Amino acid sequence: MKTLIDLSGRRIIVTGASSGIGKATSILLSRLGAQVIMVARREEKLAEVSCLLEGSNHSYYVADLSNVDQIEGLVKQIANECGKIDGLVYSAGISVNNPINLSKPEKVRDVFMINFFGFYEMVRQVTKKTVYNPGMRIVGISSSASLMGSKAQSIYAASKGAMNSAIRSLAHELSDRQICVNAVAPGMTATEMYENYLQRYGGKEGESNQRLMERQYLGLIGPEDVANAIAFLMSDAARFITGVVLPVDGGMTSC
């Protein structure tokens, strides 16, 4: 019987691969046969994740994607050393909780640099003719915060909302090249970022967090659950899905 998701022979870049959703995605894609090219800021963490990958010919590159001017050189290096790319998973990003009175322009810029501008520049570079193979898949990691209002998350939500809007237009623009562009929008996910959030915010923020959790009918999401959706969108089974933001949120945004 044919396997629904088979990524054998695919070269897929995963950014933010050192932890959380990016780490879980890298591991799953390797199990499905992909050659995984991981990108993140922390080399020691990337080395740890590389030991968990199945198969061979995987690699990693140390880069801070908030430095968007370096992305062109990074993508060229990857294509030269690994070969043309079949997929991109953009999981690099930061989450912030800032009320409007603390949201100075530099704070907004810092969040957008990694959450949106880094994503957009990666897409721009990997869709150059000399870099990708026909039928490439691109998946950005958005957030349920972009689909619903939440106190003190205007910067984060806006950065992910920008990704959502760009994806719809990019899907149209790149369709003539048979490139599919989608996003997944996770709810609260059991990652290092989520644990840091719990440690940092207490009191009323903690109570607000608990109310949001109660809206996730199926409970706290695991990074592996999000990785499953990403793997599907990377596969031939999803070849007619493009321009979609897929919630993986336990029902939160259906409320």
Side-chain angles (χ1 to χ4, degrees):
M1 185 175 68
K2 184 179 179 181
T3 303
L4 180 64
I5 300 177
D6 182 0
L7 301 177
S8 299
R10 306 280 181 90
R11 296 187 188 94
I12 301 176
I13 299 173
V14 181
T15 73
S18 61
S19 63
I21 293 170
K23 174 182 176 181
T25 299
S26 298
I27 294 170
L28 178 59
L29 297 183
S30 75
R31 291 174 179 170
L32 294 170
Q35 178 185 339
V36 182
I37 303 161
M38 301 185 295
V39 178
R41 292 180 295 110
R42 298 177 293 179
E43 184 171 8
E44 69 281 3
K45 292 292 184 179
L46 283 171
E48 291 174 9
V49 177
S50 68
C51 295
L52 302 176
L53 304 185
E54 297 185 11
S56 58
N57 296 322
H58 308 299
S59 56
Y60 65 78
Y61 293 80
V62 179
D64 182 352
L65 298 180
S66 65
N67 296 322
V68 294
D69 292 340
Q70 299 179 8
I71 291 176
E72 181 177 7
L74 170 68
V75 172
K76 284 182 178 179
Q77 182 182 1
I78 290 173
N80 288 336
E81 295 177 356
C82 301
K84 289 188 175 182
I85 305 304
D86 300 289
L88 166 67
V89 179
Y90 192 88
S91 186
I94 56 174
S95 177
V96 295
N97 271 50
N98 264 51
I100 184 66
N101 62 308
L102 298 179
S103 299
K104 294 183 178 181
E106 57 267 27
K107 173 61 71 173
V108 178
R109 183 179 60 248
D110 289 346
V111 175
F112 266 75
M113 286 301 288
I114 183 66
N115 287 4
F116 178 68
F117 294 131
F119 162 75
Y120 197 86
E121 181 63 6
M122 280 294 295
V123 173
R124 191 173 80 90
Q125 294 300 330
V126 300
T127 53
K128 291 184 176 179
K129 291 182 179 180
T130 57
V131 173
Y132 74 94
N133 283 317
M136 187 171 69
R137 306 284 189 265
I138 297 171
V139 178
I141 309 304
S142 181
S143 170
S144 61
S146 68
L147 305 174
M148 55 182 288
S150 185
K151 185 178 180 181
Q153 285 201 321
S154 58
I155 304 175
Y156 178 66
S159 68
K160 296 299 187 177
M163 174 187 284
N164 297 350
S165 295
I167 279 169
R168 296 183 183 100
S169 293
L170 288 168
H172 183 75
E173 182 176 343
L174 298 173
S175 62
D176 61 344
R177 302 189 223 170
Q178 298 299 303
I179 297 174
C180 294
V181 189
N182 296 290
V184 294
M188 290 189 174
T189 308
T191 64
E192 183 179 300
M193 185 183 293
Y194 176 71
E195 292 300 323
N196 291 338
Y197 171 86
L198 290 181
Q199 292 175 14
R200 183 173 181 181
Y201 300 105
K204 292 182 179 179
E205 287 292 344
E207 294 169 9
S208 175
N209 178 68
Q210 181 59 36
R211 286 195 296 272
L212 286 174
M213 270 299 304
E214 289 169 357
R215 295 176 67 178
Q216 291 189 183
Y217 304 146
L218 303 178
L220 185 63
I221 300 158
E224 298 80 8
D225 299 307
V226 184
N228 288 337
I230 295 167
F232 168 68
L233 291 172
M234 279 283 141
S235 74
D236 288 339
R239 66 194 183 98
F240 279 100
I241 301 175
T242 192
V244 167
V245 179
L246 175 64
V248 185
D249 62 5
M252 179 186 289
T253 53
S254 69
C255 297

